[in-house]
């Protein structure tokens, strides 16, 4: 059966890569840290007897043949890049859990009809380029050349970072999997919320993934002398942006399901004695209900416009991305629920507030997700924690799910 000790050991080993002195990990895409993490994951794939390859965008795959090699494969996996101060579980659990499942099948001599592949997707988090899910977009054939223009804080574009990592940006189209080539995609992931903890359950069945809208708001006022410009004569871009951040919080708080976050702010020129003339804010707005999200977005846009009008500040919105919520396949949800019962776990369904690669893979095949309980719901934080027992339970549920979907022969 699934070896929880081995899974835990690998999670701990992977957590050493990109470890920061302040705690947590930073493994940004196309960096040596991400490379080292992929190399380690590839070594585990080989130990599991898998055939290893990387595609044109750096997605790492390990494949186990089925009795019918020409049939569509079941894909399992997640990502091993992290946010800027990430924890040890967001992403790695799904990759290492997938490897563990395939290694277990190998050790038990289990044959499946369909091939099963495990994937470590490139740049799910978007921590470096504020785009994210680069690998799964490429797999789904929706990563455009235009997307590769996004830049990191040092002005390095995705295109340039790919070249520096030895990849050819002109070939990303080659990472696209043809329609019909995948039977299903299953991701094991930590919940990153408190629902399972409140329900006293180790594992849950995901109903769907909330859809994010990412916007950049640019405020243009007028820079000026902090000592001589009277308060009534200012066009302070930061004061306007701060008021808008308050509006965002208020509007997102009103529905009970929407979440809105300003995670990035840049004020220029950035002097202690200069009124900020230009400010950029990021906005991440999500809901499992697209209509609710879009209504709140409309209200934020209108109220932000009023704030800026009153303050004599110009406001522009740039859309970085807009994804619809992604419902999980009913059929796979039923399969996962049966797998939970196999493990003596009451099947419990819940939505995902966080984004996942499945949102893009859903364009290719039915998608399912298994959540593992998170301590205190903490994530995107070094304190992120799921117990060894819960990780093992999630991996066992993944095992039965994959076995069912791949067809034991
Ligand atoms: C990634 O974890 C995201 O939800 O943005
Ligand atoms: Mn993740
Ligand atoms: Mn994440």
């Amino acid at each position: 059966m699934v070896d929880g000790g081995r899974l835990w050991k690998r999670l701990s080993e992977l957590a050493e890569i990109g470890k920061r002195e302040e705690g947590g990990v930073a493994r940004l895409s196309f960096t040596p840290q991400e490379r080292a993490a992929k190399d380690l994951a590839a070594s585990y794939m080989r130990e599991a007897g898998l055939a290893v390859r990387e595609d044109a965008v750096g997605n790492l795959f390990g494949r186990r043949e089925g009795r019918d090699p020409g049939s569509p494969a079941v894909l399992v996996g997640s990502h091993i890049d992290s946010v800027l101060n990430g924890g040890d579980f967001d992403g790695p659990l799904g990759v290492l859990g997938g490897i563990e499942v395939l290694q277990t099948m190998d050790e038990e001599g289990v044959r499946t009809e369909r091939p099963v592949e495990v994937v470590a997707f490139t740049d799910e988090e978007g921590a470096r380029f504020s785009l994210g899910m680069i690998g799964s977009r490429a797999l789904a054939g929706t990563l455009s050349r235009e997307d590769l223009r996004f830049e990191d804080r040092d002005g390095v574009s995705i295109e340039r970072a790919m070249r520096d990592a030895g990849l050819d940006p002109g070939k990303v189209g080659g990472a696209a999997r043809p329609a019909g080539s995948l039977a299903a995609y299953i991701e094991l992931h930590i919940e990153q919320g408190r629902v399972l903890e409140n329900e006293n359950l180790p594992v849950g069945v995901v109903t769907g993934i909330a859809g994010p809208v990412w916007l950049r708001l640019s405020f243009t006022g007028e820079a000026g002398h902090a000592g001589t410009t009277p308060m009534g004569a200012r066009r302070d871009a930061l004061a306007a942006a701060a008021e808008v951040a308050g509006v965002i919080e208020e509007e997102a708080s009103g529905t009970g399901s929407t979440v809105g976050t300003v995670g990035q702010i840049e004020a220029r020129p950035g002097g202690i004695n200069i009124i900020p003339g230009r400010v950029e804010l990021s906005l991440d707005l999500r809901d499992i209900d697209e209509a609710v999200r879009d209504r709140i977005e409309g209200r934020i846009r209108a109220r932000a416009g009023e704030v800026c009008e009153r303050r004599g500040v110009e406001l522009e919105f740039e859309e970085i991305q807009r994804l619809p919520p992604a419902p999980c396949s009913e059929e796979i949800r039923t399969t996962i629920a049966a797998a939970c019962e196999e493990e003596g776990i009451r099947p419990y369904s819940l939505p995902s507030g966080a984004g996942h690669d499945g949102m893009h893979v859903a364009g290719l095949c039915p998608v399912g997700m298994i959540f593992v309980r998170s301590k205190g719901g903490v994530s995107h934080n070094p304190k992120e924690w799921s117990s060894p027992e819960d990780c093992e339970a999630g991996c066992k549920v993944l095992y039965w799910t994959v076995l069912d979907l791949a067809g034991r022969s």
Side-chain angles (χ1 to χ4, degrees), residues 6 9-10 13-14 17 35-54 60-62 80 95-96 99 103 118 120:
R6 179 167 59 195
K9 182 167 170 283
R10 287 176 175 172
E13 284 169 355
L14 188 53
I17 300 178
R35 182 65 264 161
K38 280 184 179 160
D39 289 345
L40 185 61
S43 75
Y44 298 148
M45 287 177 176
R46 286 191 197 93
E47 280 173 35
L50 306 176
V52 179
R53 74 175 178 95
E54 281 185 32
L60 169 71
F61 295 90
I80 45 179
V95 176
L96 301 178
I99 295 171
Q103 188 155 1
V118 56

Side-chain angles (χ1 to χ4, degrees), residues 79 83 90 124-125 133 192 214 284 286 353-356 380:
H79 59 97
V83 291
D90 177 358
E124 187 270 352
E125 293 286 10
M133 303 189 210
Q192 309 176 279
W214 285 4
D284 173 325
R286 310 186 193 200
H356 300 286
H380 285 190

